Structure formats: C-alpha cells, structure tokens
Amino acid sequence: MRYKVDFLVIGSGIAGLSYALKVAQYGKVCMLTKADASESSTKYAQGGIAAVMYSPDSYEKHIKDTLIAGAGLCDENAVRITITESTERIKELIQWGANFDKKNTGAFDLAKEGGHSEFRILHHQDNTGFEIERALLEKARLHPNIEIKENHFTIDLLTQHHLGEEVTKRRGDIKCFGAYVMDKTSKTIDTYLAKITMLCTGGLGNVYNTTTNPIIATGDGCAMVHRAKGVLQDMEFIQFHPTSLYNPAEKPSFLITEAMRGAGGILKTANGVAFMEKYDKRKELAPRDIVTRAIDSEMKYRGEDYVYLDCRQIDKNEIMHHFPNIYAKCLEIGINITKDMIPVVPAAHFSCGGIKVNENAQSTIENLYASGECSFTGLHGANRLASNSLLESLVYSHRAFINSIQKVKMAEFCDNIPDWNDDGMVLNEEISLVTQTEKELQLIMSNYVGIIRSDLRLKRAFDRIGLIYKETENLYKQSVLTPKLCELRNLIANSYLIIKMAMQRKESIGLHYSTDYPNRS
Ligand code: FAD
Ligand code: SIN
C-alpha cells in the first residue's frame, strides 16, 4: 500500500504526541508506533519534569545547574531556550489535562533531585510519565486530524537513495520523503510518503543488558538517520541511573527514583555504612555520573552485586503519598521500604546524544525533524540534569511545530519512490540467531563500554561488534524482514556509534570515563 500524509510522526511518547497535537491544526497527521501507543519511556518516567515555577527559583539558577551537570559541554543557547520556555510548556501540558501534585496551599509540590539547587520538579506521585502519557494520548485519540497506527514498525527513511541515487556519504542536500513501514499484523511493508517526517523514537537503553528502558528503546531513529547519512552527535554520553532495583530476574530494571534521595534516602554499603561523602560534598544529590561511579567503585571494591538505598528515615506519610508505586513494587518482592533497605544497582538509562538538530529541531536531512530522547539538541552536554528530558521534548516539539507548519507549505510528495522489494527467504534458524546475537551484543556493551571504559576495552568491543555486524548483515540480506531483525541491526548501529565516538574522546568528562585518560583534556 501507498499512503500520503502531510505530517508523519514516528513515536507516541511525549515528543511525538505533543508535536502531533499542535500540527494537527494545520494538516493530516499519521502517527506510527511500533507497539501499543502508550508503550514508551515516557510512560515509565517517575521523578517528574523540571521547570521554573516560583521564586526563589529562577531561570538563571536552572540554567546554571544544567550547565554544571553538563560539565562544560552543553550548548548554552540550547540550555537557555529550554529553560526559559519551560513555564509556558508546562502550562500547556496542564491545559491538555496532565495533573501534578499540589500542597494544601494549592501550590505545586515541587521535588528536588541530584544537581538541582532548588525544588523544581513537578510530579504526579512517582508515576509522572504515566500521567503525562495518559493525558496526551487521550487528547490525540480524540483529534479528528490524527490517525494513530499501533504495531507499525518503521524500517527506514525514504531519501534520494531510494530513487536509485547512490548516497554513500554525508552531504548537504539529502531530503526525507517519508518512510518504509511494516504493519506488524498483516506483515506487509508499506510506503508512507510525507511532506514532513518527525522522528520521536526515544532512547536506546537496550544496547545494554541492564537498563531501565522498556523493550521499545532500541535506538531505531538514530540508526535510520545514520543509514540515511544524517549527522549524529555525542553518542558516547550514556547516562547510567545510579539506583535501579537489584532484582536480576527482572527486565527492564525497575527504577528507584532519584526523588527518593531528594527526600532523604541515603546510599549505604551492605554493612550499613554511608559512603557518598567520600566522593562528593553534595553526597546523594551530586550529579548522576558522580553517584553512579561512586556506587560502581564501592561494588567493585567490596566485591558485591549491589549497594543499599536506606529510606527508613523518610516520613512514612511522605512514602505513601509521594512514592506509593515504589512502595508497592518493593513489597511485591518482600521489601518493606519503611523498614528494610532497598538493594540498588546502576542501569543504562538515557542517551544524551542522538540525531543532531538545530534550535528548531531540524535534522541535517531536509524535511526531517527529531525531538525527544532520539535527538541531540546540545542541552545535556556530557551529563543530563535529572528531569530535564521530558522538558526538552516539549520545548523542541513546540519549536518543530512552529518551523514545520511553514515548511509543509513548500514541501512536495515524491511520487517516484518505489515500493519495498520484499524478496527473501525465511530462515528457520533466524529467530534464535537474532535473540542470541542481541544478548551477545548487550554483554559486550555492558562489559566494555559501560560506566568505566579504557582504550583496550573499547577496541575489544569495536572488533567484536564488527563481527556481529557482518553476520547480521548477511542474515538481513537473505531473510524476510522481521521487526526483531530490524531492531538488532539498529542496536548494532547504535553500539557502533557509541564505541566510535567514545574512542575519539581522549579524556574523561561527565558520563564518559576512561582509565587511560582520567582527566579532562
Ligand atoms: P518515548 O517516550 O520512549 O517514545 C518513543 C516512541 O517511539 C514509542 O512510542 C515507540 O513505540 C516509538 N518507536 C520507536 N521506534 C519505532 C519504530 N521503529 N517504528 C515505530 N515506532 C517506533 N525523564 C525526565 O525528564 N523525568 C523523569 O522522571 C524520567 N524518568 C524516567 C524513568 C524511566 C524508567 C525511564 C526509562 C526514563 C525516564 N526519563 C525521565 C527519561 C524520559 O522518560 C525519556 O527521555 C522521554 O520520555 C523520551 O520521550 P520520547 O517521546 O522521546 O520517547
Ligand atoms: C528519576 O526519577 O530518578 C528519573 C529522572 C530522570 O531520569 O530524569
């Protein structure tokens, strides 16, 4: 089948939904999402969304905190844009129906997280993302100009390459004409021609074997742009969240929000000794990279698989009101957090790099925009400040909206794009090979490209991923496509980009720590 739409939005998290709701006033929107529409990292966000709401907080304070966390690598313009537009975007989110917790006075009950100098995190208990996703999805489902297609897997972007032109290198004139998309129910691969394409495909946590990210987070958008010869940046900066629940049988790892440390939770070793003071005077509320390395170092030094987060000193009422889901989850596995310490371990959580975009969320490919975790705006630098990513999605999706409603007037459909050629054979062994290879890749990335890196480890990872790449490309050329095989290719492309950019960075900064270059250059 061939479809024609004004705006093709790929992804139904906060970035895709907030963009779709706005552009839908100006044209037909088709939103593609590879699972159920609500399945996204957005849905699992716990801590909340950072924004400047009242004094004594100020834009300058939030800007300063973001720049400090980013360790000197933030793009100050992106930081200023995001923070100074935060209040407006939050008001809009509330108008769309998202609820945030309030105090008895009627003021928002703002929380504090690592690296923030003020209480500025709006939250809905400890399931803020669920509430945001609910509100936005409800609105989008009711909009007459938005069609949401669930279980539709985007395979690749359409560019001149599909018109028979050989696009082997990055160049300034690549255009996006839409995407090839697999309907997972009918198993057909359809051609979606679009005037504007918006990538909101989220993160890539599943490159690692321990992650807080849902299974949809396989870096598809980044891989598609890489294949289309667009520019990606800062992929080496992978944020490991310090505290995911240590429960090895469970995937993805359940997050224990940083807001619990904001509320007074203390990190301790197995014998009950607090250790953060040794590492940073901000202790539990130091930026994430510092807390994660401190935990990693304690675990290695003591030969233990986890440390503890002690929340027993937090008021029981506060636990029940602010953290009811974490309380219930821990209780399920026999931990009463008002009486027992919580075993925690770092897990891959957020990609600071991604598809390079300008201040209007335009990628280096014409008529292709990107917003949310798949994009690189320059906001996060070498380390993201907690709860800045939901905000970034709202701000850049808004900016993409303003810019793309002008662009759409000039853009045309490219009718010459051929339909997908799906010649191939079904290999019986394919499914188990794909699953095995994915596990292999995740182990390589976790062992050699994790929290602590070195030249030798990166080289090992690079060589091993090279082999996996060759094997998988052979399989891809011979097989009928499946989403799992496409995701594996995408995970490999992301791993390659992370390793390559990590190898180029000959220093330790923010989230990238190399034992060969322990200092900043
Ligand atoms: P997502 O919400 O991940 O949505 C991606 C969408 O793209 C999904 O609908 C998916 O199905 C679709 N998709 C992907 N590939 C394809 C494809 N090939 N074809 C079709 N569809 C595709 N940030 C904060 O600011 N505050 C927090 O408190 C916070 N807590 C977090 C807690 C957890 C457990 C996690 C995992 C993340 C948290 N983050 C938090 C980070 C934040 O949630 C994400 O960065 C943000 O939600 C990303 O939104 P997004 O719209 O870019 O992507
Ligand atoms: C958390 O709640 O700790 C996650 C916040 C974030 O990732 O920004």
Side-chain angles (χ1 to χ4, degrees):
M1 294 276 284
R2 287 171 87 79
Y3 298 92
K4 282 187 171 181
V5 290
D6 298 319
F7 300 97
L8 183 66
V9 182
I10 306 173
S12 55
I14 188 171
L17 286 166
S18 60
Y19 175 76
L21 282 170
K22 293 185 172 188
V23 290
Q25 302 161 59
Y26 297 85
K28 288 275 175 211
V29 178
C30 175
M31 172 175 276
L32 303 171
T33 182
K34 69 176 171 178
D36 291 346
S38 70
E39 192 55 11
S40 58
S41 288
T42 301
K43 176 175 153 186
Y44 298 99
Q46 290 187 358
I49 180 162
V52 174
M53 300 306 285
Y54 314 115
S55 68
D57 200 5
S58 67
Y59 291 138
E60 283 311 314
K61 285 185 188 169
H62 191 175
I63 288 168
K64 190 172 166 206
D65 293 345
T66 303
L67 293 171
I68 291 173
L73 289 195
C74 299
D75 173 342
E76 190 164 342
N77 185 40
V79 177
R80 289 198 170 272
I81 284 174
T82 310
I83 310 294
T84 55
E85 295 178 15
S86 63
T87 324
E88 272 310 296
R89 299 284 77 80
I90 294 293
K91 285 184 186 159
E92 211 162 53
L93 193 55
I94 293 168
Q95 272 168 13
W96 278 330
N99 295 304
F100 296 110
D101 290 357
K102 290 187 174 164
K103 298 184 194 167
N104 293 338
T105 57
F108 288 111
D109 177 26
L110 302 175
K112 196 171 185 178
E113 291 178 350
H116 289 275
S117 58
E118 289 289 346
F119 285 79
R120 64 166 74 97
I121 318 294
L122 290 127
H123 63 94
H124 179 272
Q125 297 180 335
D126 53 357
N127 63 357
T128 311
F130 189 90
E131 171 61 12
I132 293 175
E133 184 72 23
R134 178 205 60 76
L136 296 183
L137 200 51
E138 255 174 48
K139 267 218 116 36
R141 286 201 197 279
L142 291 174
H143 203 295
N145 264 358
I146 302 178
E147 183 181 14
I148 303 179
K149 293 193 169 188
E150 297 183 307
N151 296 308
H152 277 64
F153 185 94
T154 309
I155 299 169
D156 258 322
L157 299 169
L158 304 172
T159 64
Q160 290 95 323
H161 175 75
H162 301 95
L163 294 170
E165 247 181 71
E166 231 183 299
V167 184
T168 51
K169 278 199 229 128
R170 284 183 195 156
R171 48 183 229 208
D173 66 341
I174 304 175
K175 284 189 188 148
C176 179
F177 306 120
Y180 284 131
V181 179
M182 181 189 292
D183 176 340
K184 285 166 76 177
T185 315
S186 68
K187 310 244 182 316
T188 53
I189 298 177
D190 301 317
T191 308
Y192 283 72
L193 298 175
K195 290 183 179 166
I196 300 292
T197 304
M198 171 61 144
L199 281 174
C200 301
T201 47
L204 51 80
N206 287 288
V207 154
Y208 292 91
N209 70 350
T210 309
T211 178
T212 61
N213 290 191
I215 55 168
I216 53 104
T218 49
D220 299 354
C222 290
M224 286 187 249
V225 169
H226 174 60
R227 287 194 289 271
K229 306 285 182 271
V231 178
L232 291 106
Q233 196 175 322
D234 279 12
M235 297 290 285
E236 69 274 34
F237 294 119
I238 302 293
Q239 186 169 68
F240 286 77
H241 196 290
T243 55
S244 76
L245 180 64
Y246 176 74
N247 186 20
E250 186 174 6
K251 270 192 171 203
S253 303
F254 182 78
L255 186 75
I256 304 293
T257 177
E258 190 150 329
M260 289 208 97
R261 278 176 278 133
I266 296 172
L267 287 163
K268 293 185 174 170
T269 52
N271 57 346
V273 178
F275 57 83
M276 272 313 297
E277 195 152 17
K278 278 196 290 184
Y279 296 90
D280 194 287
K281 63 177 188 309
R282 291 162 290 184
K283 298 192 271 188
E284 275 70 15
L285 290 183
R288 262 180 210 175
D289 56 326
I290 294 170
V291 182
T292 296
R293 275 197 298 276
I295 294 175
D296 187 65
S297 145
E298 289 295 323
M299 281 173 21
K300 283 186 179 141
Y301 176 72
R302 301 176 57 84
E304 285 162 0
D305 290 338
Y306 52 83
V307 296
Y308 283 112
L309 184 67
D310 187 354
C311 296
R312 293 174 297 185
Q313 57 290 351
I314 304 176
D315 182 69
K316 202 168 171 202
N317 261 338
E318 167 76 355
I319 298 264
M320 295 309 177
H321 283 105
H322 192 162
F323 307 110
N325 297 295
I326 292 177
Y327 175 80
K329 170 73 193 182
C330 289
L331 210 53
E332 249 175 47
I333 59 164
I335 300 165
N336 178 342
I337 65 174
T338 63
K339 295 186 183 138
D340 308 314
M341 297 196 286
I342 313 170
V344 291
V345 66
H349 182 63
F350 183 83
S351 164
C352 293
I355 303 157
K356 186 178 164 76
V357 294
N358 67 11
E359 59 185 35
N360 295 317
Q362 290 174 289
S363 75
T364 53
I365 297 178
E366 210 179 316
N367 297 335
L368 179 71
Y369 293 73
S371 172
E373 191 167 337
C374 69
S375 70
F376 165 81
T377 63
L379 171 69
H380 308 302
N383 181 29
R384 174 180 67 110
L385 185 66
S387 290
N388 262 356
S389 47
L390 292 171
L391 175 63
E392 180 188 38
S393 306
L394 285 179
V395 168
Y396 279 85
S397 287
H398 176 78
R399 291 181 147 255
F401 147 67
I402 301 284
N403 193 275
S404 59
I405 55 170
Q406 297 307 325
K407 271 265 168 184
V408 77
K409 294 179 193 158
M410 281 102 68
E412 284 174 3
F413 292 115
C414 182
D415 289 310
N416 300 334
I417 294 281
D419 284 337
W420 179 266
N421 175 358
D422 59 0
D423 291 348
M425 342 181 261
V426 182
L427 295 181
N428 288 335
E429 268 189 308
E430 184 197 306
I431 298 194
S432 70
L433 285 180
V434 168
T435 316
Q436 281 313 114
T437 312
E438 186 179 311
K439 284 187 186 154
E440 221 178 299
L441 172 108
Q442 289 166 336
L443 276 180
I444 293 168
M445 290 302 287
S446 295
N447 288 340
Y448 304 129
V449 200
I451 298 164
I452 306 291
R453 302 165 178 178
S454 71
D455 281 350
L456 185 63
R457 283 165 185 241
L458 292 176
K459 169 83 171 65
R460 257 189 191 199
F462 191 80
D463 292 345
R464 280 160 175 67
I465 299 284
L467 189 64
I468 286 180
Y469 168 77
K470 280 191 201 132
E471 286 169 0
T472 307
E473 285 307 292
N474 280 337
L475 196 61
Y476 175 77
K477 281 179 202 138
Q478 296 175 55
S479 311
V480 168
L481 274 200
T482 61
K484 272 313 264 178
L485 177 55
C486 294
E487 284 180 344
L488 174 62
R489 286 184 86 214
N490 293 339
L491 289 171
I492 295 170
N494 281 277
S495 304
Y496 164 77
L497 289 164
I498 295 168
I499 300 169
K500 201 175 124 203
M501 293 190 198
M503 283 171 127
Q504 283 161 357
R505 191 167 284 288
K506 304 287 185 205
E507 63 177 335
S508 289
I509 182 166
L511 299 164
H512 174 77
Y513 187 87
S514 166
T515 50
D516 291 310
Y517 315 98
N519 301 312
R520 285 187 69 164
S521 69

